[in-house]
Amino acid sequence: MGSGGDVPFNSKFTIYVVACWILAAFGGLMFGYDIGISGGVTAMEDFLIKFFPKVQERKLHAKEDNYCKYDDPLLQLFTSSLYLAALAASFFASKACTILGRKRTIFLASLFFLGGAGMSAGAQHKWMLIIGRILFGIGVGFANEAVPVFLSEVAPVQHRGAVNILFQLFVTIGILIASLVNYNTSTVHPYGWRLSLGLAGIPGVVLFFGSMILTETPASLIERGKDGKGKSALKKIRGVDDVDDEYEEIKKACEVAKQVKQPFKKLMKRESRPPLIIAIMMQVFQQFTGINAIMFYAPVLFQTMGFKNDASLLSAVITGSVNVLSTCVSIYAVDKCGRRGLLLQACFQMLISQVAIGVILLVFLRNTGTMNSSLAIVVVILVCTFVSSFAWSWGPLGWLIPSETFPLETRTAGFAFAVSSNMLFTFLIAQVFLSMLCKMRAYIFFFFSAWILAMGIFVYFLVPETKGVPIDAIVERVWTQHPVWKKYMDNKDDNGGTKAMEMA
């Protein structure tokens, strides 16, 4: 039952461990709610009249360019400031995960979420809106760092993919809830937007109390010298008393981790490059599929195609529902089909969808006027096919793969790079998408299509399969056997000399 074997460690499902998975995953629901709520809020007239009256004037102008009516840097900053804050917070969250543990880091995330909800809902000035978004962003940085690592460390190896994808499932549920909230609050004048932003406090409360119920992960406890508590926690989450084999493997990984005093420095070493490169590139590619451009601004995008305000919000609800259902497909398939197969299939489906959307908009949507309603519905269907393929592949696997491919000694530091990379490129897309839409028009979909093609090539040659591999045996069973990455594991330093054990 050791790391070299294919027999899973002893475990059984218990109500408690399932509750831990669900409560931790509420950190993903908060992230998804933040993604989904901003696009709907920025399409609400009451919100625009109060904070962005010039945008509202442009929107109402009969001859205004369809592609440019929402192009406003401050309006984009309202959405993107969250992700800039999350980028900076992720590195502090990495330290918190190591020093305080995963559980307390999730607790801190809930406090920032609650602060962000209160500040945003009560905002009277633009600076209050931005501060609220920054508080949300810090919460996102802490939650996105701690929750996927927590889920990977408490999940049985044979179900690790499915358990970790609960994070992304709750992200999609959060997006759907935000779309439903926006659809209903858009008719509540003049404070519908306040309700939309303030209701983020509800999942924040659930995460706050849920973090008190969670157990700390065995790896975190043992890494911090609490061996007895670590073994007890392992018995608790596995639901069995016979955990000696798994406990010894975790303890061995922790002993190696303790020798590394500077994990961020260790990440710069040759043998750390494979998981680091993959973790960062997975986040870059995830954002350059164009998914967040669509999910942030789905109501805006559908208005551009000629839908009225209510119809555009309803279309966003439809895509949000597809997002949730397709993520459930990933929960079923990831530990059966593997990671690589889902990623490659999705690249093919997303490429077709993006190119088709671009062609239809290029040919049929003029700068002024609206698109034929039948064609607009076809575009919504294509958006749904795009969202579905992303939701069972790059969405959840963008978080799963980095959370399971780093050894324990660099796991939280490495995942901090994954989170920060995700937030950096999410920020860039959120900040420039509406301007890109104005300048590039329909060609923006061809821009994202080129990135999807590059993603498929990257996966085919460089992303290893990690299905069924114990999390603390990834180095021996994945990196040292990969045709490209194994040369980084050859016990040589950067200058080709024999490398002593790194005790950085």
Side-chain angles (χ1 to χ4, degrees), residues 283-337:
Q283 308 309 314
V284 174
F285 286 136
Q286 188 191 71
Q287 297 312 307
F288 278 93
T289 60
I291 183 64
N292 277 341
I294 288 175
M295 299 313 291
F296 287 150
Y297 300 113
V300 173
L301 186 62
F302 292 136
Q303 281 189 21
T304 293
M305 294 182 296
F307 288 85
K308 300 301 182 183
N309 190 55
D310 287 349
S312 68
L313 288 171
L314 181 59
S315 299
V317 171
I318 293 171
T319 57
S321 301
V322 170
N323 202 9
V324 172
L325 293 174
S326 299
T327 304
C328 293
V329 172
S330 185
I331 291 175
Y332 172 79
V334 68
D335 290 315
K336 289 181 169 53
C337 303

Side-chain angles (χ1 to χ4, degrees), residues 170-464:
F170 273 67
V171 171
T172 63
I173 292 172
I175 293 171
L176 175 59
I177 290 173
S179 298
L180 290 168
V181 167
N182 283 334
Y183 181 68
N184 286 283
T185 60
S186 63
T187 59
V188 180
H189 303 290
Y191 298 119
W193 62 271
R194 293 192 187 276
L195 289 173
S196 290
L197 296 174
L199 286 172
I202 294 177
V205 169
V206 174
L207 189 65
F208 176 83
F209 288 106
S211 63
M212 299 179 184
I213 298 171
L214 299 177
T215 183
E216 184 56 90
T217 71
S220 177
L221 289 166
I222 297 169
E223 186 182 21
R224 290 182 284 140
K226 301 177 181 180
D227 291 15
K229 289 183 178 180
K231 192 167 188 177
S232 297
L234 188 58
K235 291 179 180 179
K236 193 172 185 180
I237 63 174
R238 294 293 177 255
V240 297
D241 290 328
D242 182 15
V243 296
D244 290 345
D245 290 333
E246 186 172 7
Y247 172 75
E248 289 301 324
E249 185 164 288
I250 295 173
K251 190 171 181 180
K252 183 167 61 174
C254 288
E255 287 171 356
V256 174
K258 287 178 182 177
Q259 298 174 29
V260 179
K261 305 302 182 185
Q262 296 177 311
F264 283 100
K265 183 178 178 181
K266 173 75 171 177
L267 271 179
M268 300 301 109
K269 301 296 183 181
R270 177 185 176 88
E271 69 274 16
S272 296
R273 289 176 194 167
L276 182 62
I277 290 171
I278 291 203
I280 292 174
M281 292 308 299
M282 287 292 292
Q283 308 309 314
V284 174
F285 286 136
Q286 188 191 71
Q287 297 312 307
F288 278 93
T289 60
I291 183 64
N292 277 341
I294 288 175
M295 299 313 291
F296 287 150
Y297 300 113
V300 173
L301 186 62
F302 292 136
Q303 281 189 21
T304 293
M305 294 182 296
F307 288 85
K308 300 301 182 183
N309 190 55
D310 287 349
S312 68
L313 288 171
L314 181 59
S315 299
V317 171
I318 293 171
T319 57
S321 301
V322 170
N323 202 9
V324 172
L325 293 174
S326 299
T327 304
C328 293
V329 172
S330 185
I331 291 175
Y332 172 79
V334 68
D335 290 315
K336 289 181 169 53
C337 303
R339 285 61 161 154
R340 279 169 51 86
L342 289 176
L343 291 172
L344 290 170
Q345 183 279 332
C347 284
F348 180 74
Q349 186 170 327
M350 287 190 296
L351 181 63
I352 292 175
S353 300
Q354 287 276 33
V355 170
I357 292 170
V359 169
I360 291 174
L361 295 186
L362 184 65
V363 175
F364 296 103
L365 182 64
R366 304 305 176 195
N367 290 348
T368 58
T370 60
M371 183 189 294
N372 176 278
S373 59
S374 297
L375 280 174
I377 292 171
V378 170
V379 173
V380 173
I381 293 171
L382 287 169
V383 168
C384 288
T385 63
F386 170 83
V387 169
S388 67
S389 57
F390 177 89
W392 64 54
S393 61
W394 286 87
L397 299 184
W399 298 108
L400 169 60
I401 291 174
S403 74
E404 66 182 4
T405 50
F406 286 99
L408 182 60
E409 61 266 28
T410 56
R411 188 170 299 153
T412 59
F415 201 72
F417 272 92
V419 174
S420 62
S421 299
N422 184 283
M423 294 303 124
L424 172 61
F425 285 93
T426 304
F427 164 75
L428 291 175
I429 291 293
Q431 183 61 29
V432 305
F433 173 70
L434 292 180
S435 297
M436 289 173 67
L437 183 64
C438 179
K439 300 293 190 299
M440 298 177 69
R441 303 175 185 275
Y443 290 102
I444 192 171
F445 293 95
F446 301 120
F447 169 81
F448 289 129
S449 297
W451 278 95
I452 292 171
L453 184 61
M455 290 159 52
I457 296 170
F458 177 83
V459 171
Y460 186 81
F461 289 104
L462 295 176
V463 176

